[in-house]
Amino acid sequence: MLAGKAGSAGDDTAIETVFDAFTEHRQPSTDALSRLSLQNYVEMRSLTAKQWFVYKKKLEKALNYYAPSVWRPIYSMVAFSR
């Protein structure tokens, strides 16, 4: 997909063109990951000790258990799991 944007093999700007296209293609994903990471940091820093936060997480877990096609917690969408 991105390789088609490069010029001929001897073109000095071919690699730069490919990297520019790759950056343009990936930027929305990296921005979203950055926002989710910041949101997770704020939660871990400030909210985990609050009782309402614990109830919210329990509610999210129950909703996901009973209606997984309707509700999925953000953490389970971005966390690494096998």
Side-chain angles (χ1 to χ4, degrees):
M1 178 175 107
L2 296 174
K5 298 201 181 242
S8 64
D11 189 356
D12 291 339
T13 62
I15 292 175
E16 184 178 341
T17 302
V18 169
F19 277 113
D20 288 345
F22 178 77
T23 299
E24 183 179 331
H25 177 73
R26 293 290 298 160
Q27 193 63 46
S29 297
T30 58
D31 290 346
L33 184 57
S34 177
R35 285 191 304 274
L36 286 170
S37 296
L38 180 58
Q39 180 182 345
N40 184 60
Y41 170 75
V42 169
E43 277 190 2
M44 294 298 116
R45 178 196 68 195
S46 306
L47 303 176
T48 54
K50 303 203 182 294
Q51 190 63 35
W52 64 266
F53 182 79
V54 175
Y55 289 132
K56 177 185 166 198
K57 290 299 177 184
K58 287 181 181 182
L59 176 61
E60 286 180 353
K61 187 175 181 179
L63 286 170
N64 183 242
Y65 180 79
Y66 291 108
S69 63
V70 177
W71 182 264
R72 191 165 181 202
I74 290 175
Y75 184 78
S76 65
M77 290 189 283
V78 298
F80 175 77
S81 62
R82 290 187 186 239

